[in-house]
C-alpha cells in the first residue's frame, strides 16, 4: 500500500515551533527495524520510559524506570540529524507520557515517516493522523489481555498495522477469533503475528517460555490465515539481550 505523504514537509522544516514539552527518554539509537512491514529498513528509534503493563514475555523491562528528561524539539532535531527518513517511537508504552503526542506531531512535521509502537491499552485517537500506528492486541498468555482498549480499533487508519504476540496455541486461537470478529484485515495495512521470544527470566512460568516459530508458521498455513508472520529481526542479527539495536 502506498503511503500518502502529501501533507508532510521536507526535512529542512524548522523545528523551532515544536512544543517545548519534555519526555522521559530511555534511549535513542539508529538500527535496523526488526518488526512490522518496515522490517529490514534502517530506522532511528526513540524509546520512552515507563509502561503501565507487565506482559509476561516483556523484553524491555529496563525501560520501565530508566531514563532522563529530553525536550521534544531536541528529539526531533536528533532524528533529523540521523539522516534517516524512518523513525519509530516506542517504549515501554510511549502513550503513557502525554507529550508523546507532541513528539509524534513534531516528527511528522519534519517530514519523517513516523511509526509508533503501542500496546493498545491507551487511547490512540490523539495521535497525528500522519503517523503509522503499530498497535498490539494483547493475547491471554501475556497476562494483560484485559487491558486491551477495544475502542482503539475504531481509530485505526488504513496505513496502520496490528500485532499479535503469540505464546501458545490458546493465544493463536484467540487472535484468530479477534481477527475475524473485527474484520481486522480490512481495517489496516497489515495484521502481524509474532512468536513470543523465550525469556530466560520467565522460563519457569507457564506460557512464558516462548513459542517455536515453526509451530506458528504451521498454524497459519493450516488455516490459510491472511496475516504476515514476523520474527524480531534484530534478535537474529545481534544477541537477543543487546540494547540499542
Amino acid at each position: 500500500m502506498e503511503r500518502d505523504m502529501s501533507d508532510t514537509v521536507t526535512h529542512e522544516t524548522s523545528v523551532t515551533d515544536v512544543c517545548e514539552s519534555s519526555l522521559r527518554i530511555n534511549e535513542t539509537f539508529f538500527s535496523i527495524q526488526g518488526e512490522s512491514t518496515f522490517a529490514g529498513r534502517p530506522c532511528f528509534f526513540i524509546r520512552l520510559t515507563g509502561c503501565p503493563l507487565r506482559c509476561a514475555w516483556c523484553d524491555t523491562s529496563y525501560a520501565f524506570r530508566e531514563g532522563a528528561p529530553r525536550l521534544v524539539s531536541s528529539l526531533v532535531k536528533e532524528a533529523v540529524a540521523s539522516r534517516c527518513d524512518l523513525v519509530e517511537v516506542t517504549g515501554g508504552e510511549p502513550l503513557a507520557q502525554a507529550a508523546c503526542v507532541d513528539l509524534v506531531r513534531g516528527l511528522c512535521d519534519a517530514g519523517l515517516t513516523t511509526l509508533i509502537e503501542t500496546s493498545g491499552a491507551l487511547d490512540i485517537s490523539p495521535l497525528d493522523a500522519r503517523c503509522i500506528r503499530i498497535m498490539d492486541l494483547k493475547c491471554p498468555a501475556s497476562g494483560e489481555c484485559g487491558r486491551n482498549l477495544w475502542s482503539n480499533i475504531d481509530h485505526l487508519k488504513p496505513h496502520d498495522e496490528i500485532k499479535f504476540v503469540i505464546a501458545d496455541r490458546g493465544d493463536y486461537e484467540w487472535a484468530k477469533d479477534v481477527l475475524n470478529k473485527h474484520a481486522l484485515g480490512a481495517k489496516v495495512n497489515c495484521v502481524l503475528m509474532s512468536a513470543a521470544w523465550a525469556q530466560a527470566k520467565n522460563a519457569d512460568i507457564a506460557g512464558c517460555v516462548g513459542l517455536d516459530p515453526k509451530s506458528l508458521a504451521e498454524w497459519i498455513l493450516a488455516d490459510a490465515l491472511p496475516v504476515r508472520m514476523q520474527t524480531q529481526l534484530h534478535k537474529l542479527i545481534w544477541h537477543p539481550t543487546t540494547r540499542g539495536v
Side-chain angles (χ1 to χ4, degrees):
M1 175 182 292
E2 293 187 359
R3 293 172 173 84
D4 183 5
M5 301 300 291
S6 60
D7 291 334
T8 62
V9 292
T10 64
H11 290 192
E12 287 73 30
T13 298
S14 171
V15 296
T16 57
D17 294 331
V18 173
C19 179
E20 284 301 309
S21 52
S22 66
L23 291 159
R24 191 167 181 82
I25 301 299
N26 176 263
E27 60 182 347
T28 61
F29 57 96
F30 184 48
S31 188
I32 295 296
Q33 176 60 253
E35 302 183 67
S36 80
T37 61
F38 293 85
R41 285 185 54 181
C43 183
F44 183 77
F45 291 84
I46 303 173
R47 187 183 304 283
L48 276 64
T49 301
C51 183
L53 279 68
R54 292 294 183 267
C55 296
W57 34 251
C58 179
D59 58 0
T60 51
S61 58
Y62 59 86
F64 291 167
R65 296 177 181 84
E66 297 177 14
R70 291 279 304 274
L71 290 176
V72 167
S73 58
S74 75
L75 292 164
V76 175
K77 289 176 182 177
E78 185 180 356
V80 171
S82 75
R83 298 181 297 162
C84 182
D85 63 358
L86 181 66
V87 59
E88 176 170 302
V89 179
T90 185
E93 167 50 69
L95 288 175
Q97 297 189 55
C100 177
V101 173
D102 298 328
L103 174 61
V104 168
R105 182 174 62 251
L107 294 168
C108 290
D109 285 346
L112 301 173
T113 299
T114 304
L115 318 177
I116 178 166
E117 188 162 2
T118 176
S119 66
L122 300 177
D123 185 11
I124 66 171
S125 64
L127 287 166
D128 193 296
R130 293 170 294 177
C131 79
I132 298 164
R133 303 162 181 85
I134 302 170
M135 190 183 84
D136 279 21
L137 284 173
K138 299 299 184 185
C139 298
S142 72
E144 296 287 6
C145 186
R147 302 291 292 274
N148 289 317
L149 183 62
W150 295 103
S151 59
N152 274 335
I153 293 176
D154 295 331
H155 300 302
L156 291 166
K157 307 293 184 184
H159 60 230
D160 293 334
E161 303 182 8
I162 290 176
K163 180 176 74 173
F164 295 95
V165 178
I166 310 295
D168 55 29
R169 182 71 193 213
D171 276 0
Y172 173 78
E173 294 296 337
W174 181 90
K176 184 171 67 172
D177 288 345
V178 171
L179 172 71
N180 293 328
K181 178 181 178 181
H182 295 277
L184 297 181
K187 291 181 180 294
V188 294
N189 179 45
C190 189
V191 177
L192 308 156
M193 283 192 174
S194 302
W197 197 279
Q199 303 296 321
K201 63 184 176 63
N202 292 329
D204 59 341
I205 304 174
C208 302
V209 295
L211 176 67
D212 182 357
K214 180 182 176 183
S215 296
L216 179 57
E218 290 174 345
W219 299 339
I220 291 171
L221 290 172
D223 290 331
L225 212 59
V227 301
R228 175 179 294 198
M229 181 178 168
Q230 64 172 11
T231 60
Q232 291 179 291
L233 182 60
H234 49 291
K235 292 183 178 179
L236 301 176
I237 300 172
W238 295 279
H239 189 277
T241 60
T242 304
R243 296 194 192 185
V245 296

